[in-house]
């Protein structure tokens, strides 16, 4: 409602959004079903694979990866214990569902965010256009776009993927652009003078030098994708978020605590492994 002197733009905007969503659903329903199925297929496939892996075997694989990345026995043992603790909480299947959703979401962010960051680093005008868009994607509450996305794509994994992509893409794309802009131009010019082409210089010189910033963005993307687990459960995505949501719906604080604790353990696992595997400093030869 307004004070009587100003027009009520809220109702007009509400009606316009509703008509736009109805038009999209009515006019492109079959195509949207195909898009939803295409987005859901990799998550379902990864869920199936992860469901076949017993928790002890998964713990061994994680431990081997931690040892290969860090060569620290204490870190390796601690990382290997985390999947076992999740399994002992009785939410192993839900954890694997969340892990599948997070993995596919992060891969989508990489496929879209890396080219965007590279293009924005090369084209200042594109960077200026993308900056306010990134601001909007990071500041707008997820529930604002969850409702229309869920209506367009239906409930389940597909809208959860889109919501996670909107939420987690900006930091990765921005840090990729920032890392590439921070590369010493003299090194780039030297590479070009040695006969390297534009793309060769990008892949062999600029991206390796921008690696720390890019990996920092990737680590943030993983954590932000995990943060969407509970929100995604509200639009039908399976996983640990659903356990927390059931605890709220049933007024069962114990169930909610178990789900929340499992999310924390999964967050620690992903964060520490990402830092160990991806965050190792680039080694330069001594002069």
């Amino acid at each position: 409602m307004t004070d009587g002197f100003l027009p009520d733009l809220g109702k007009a905007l509400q009606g316009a959004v509703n008509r736009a969503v109805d038009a999209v659903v009515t006019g492109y329903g079959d195509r949207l079903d195909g898009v939803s199925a295409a987005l859901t297929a990799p998550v379902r496939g990864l869920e199936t694979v992860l469901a076949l892996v017993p928790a002890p075997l998964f713990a061994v694989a994680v431990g081997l990866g931690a040892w290969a990345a860090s060569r620290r026995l204490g870190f390796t043992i601690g990382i290997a214990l985390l999947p076992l603790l999740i399994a002992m909480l009785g939410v192993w299947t839900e954890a694997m569902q969340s892990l599948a959703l997070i993995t596919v979401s992060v891969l989508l962010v990489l496929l879209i965010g890396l080219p965007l960051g590279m293009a924005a680093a090369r084209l200042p005008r594109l960077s200026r256009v993308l900056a306010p868009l990134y601001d909007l994607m990071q500041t707008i509450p997820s529930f604002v776009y969850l409702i229309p996305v869920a209506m367009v794509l239906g409930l389940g994994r597909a809208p959860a993927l889109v919501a996670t992509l909107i939420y987690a893409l900006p930091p990765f794309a921005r840090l990729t652009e920032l890392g590439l802009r921070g590369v010493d131009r003299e090194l780039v010019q030297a590479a070009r003078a040695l006969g390297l082409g534009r793309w060769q210089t990008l892949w062999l010189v600029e991206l390796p030098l921008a690696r720390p910033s890019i990996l920092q963005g990737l680590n943030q993307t993983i954590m932000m994708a995990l943060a969407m687990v509970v929100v995604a459960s509200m639009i039908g995505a399976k996983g640990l978020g659903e356990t927390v949501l059931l605890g709220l719906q049933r007024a069962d604080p114990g169930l909610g605590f178990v789900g929340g604790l499992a999310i924390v353990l999964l967050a620690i696992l992903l964060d520490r492994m990402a830092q160990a595997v991806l965050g190792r400093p680039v080694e330069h030869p001594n002069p």
Side-chain angles (χ1 to χ4, degrees):
M1 297 180 63
T2 64
D3 59 4
F5 296 97
L6 298 174
D8 190 350
L9 297 179
K11 289 185 177 179
L13 182 59
Q14 176 185 350
V17 172
N18 288 338
R19 288 190 297 271
V21 172
D22 290 341
V24 171
V25 173
T26 302
Y28 303 95
D30 294 337
R31 295 181 183 178
L32 292 173
D33 289 341
V35 171
S36 180
L39 290 173
T40 303
V43 182
R44 288 184 180 274
L46 188 55
E47 281 182 14
T48 302
V49 173
L50 292 174
L52 297 175
V53 181
L57 183 58
F58 188 90
V60 170
V62 168
L64 291 175
W67 173 256
S70 67
R71 301 294 180 181
R72 290 182 289 148
L73 182 59
F75 175 76
T76 299
I77 294 174
I79 287 295
L81 286 176
L82 291 175
L84 299 178
L85 291 174
I86 294 174
M88 291 167 63
L89 291 174
V91 290
W92 180 251
T93 299
E94 291 81 1
M96 294 301 98
Q97 291 172 338
S98 294
L99 182 59
L101 181 62
I102 292 167
T103 302
V104 176
S105 299
V106 171
L107 289 177
L108 283 176
V109 170
L110 287 174
L111 290 174
I112 298 174
L114 187 61
L116 277 178
M118 292 163 55
R122 299 255 182 190
L123 304 172
R125 290 185 179 179
L126 178 62
S127 178
R128 289 192 293 269
V129 171
L130 291 176
L133 181 60
Y134 290 154
D135 292 337
L136 180 64
M137 293 168 68
Q138 287 189 288
T139 57
I140 188 171
S142 56
F143 291 101
V144 173
Y145 54 79
L146 275 178
I147 297 174
V149 169
M151 291 184 64
V152 170
L153 296 178
L155 298 178
R157 299 168 181 84
L161 278 174
V162 174
T164 305
L165 180 64
I166 294 173
Y167 184 62
L169 175 65
F172 179 73
R174 276 179 156 158
L175 284 170
T176 299
E177 177 186 351
L178 180 64
L180 290 172
R181 286 187 182 277
V183 173
D184 190 343
R185 292 296 96 188
E186 292 184 359
L187 293 176
V188 175
Q189 292 173 2
R192 296 299 300 274
L194 291 173
L196 294 181
R198 184 181 298 272
W199 285 105
Q200 289 177 313
T201 303
L202 175 64
W203 288 107
L204 298 178
V205 178
E206 295 180 76
L207 285 177
L209 291 175
R211 178 175 179 266
S213 180
I214 295 174
L215 293 182
Q216 182 182 2
L218 179 58
N219 186 263
Q220 288 191 18
T221 297
I222 294 172
M223 292 298 100
M224 295 180 76
L226 181 59
M228 288 294 291
V229 165
V230 176
V231 176
S233 69
M234 298 181 183
I235 51 176
K238 302 292 183 181
L240 293 172
E242 187 180 32
T243 303
V244 177
L245 183 62
L246 287 175
L248 292 171
Q249 292 174 341
R250 298 174 182 176
D252 187 342
L255 180 61
F257 181 80
V258 168
L261 179 59
I263 292 174
V264 171
L265 294 175
L266 184 60
I268 295 173
L269 173 62
L270 293 175
D271 180 61
R272 295 299 181 268
M273 283 298 294
Q275 290 185 18
V277 175
L278 303 174
R280 288 175 294 182
V282 180
E283 295 184 358
H284 299 283
N286 294 325

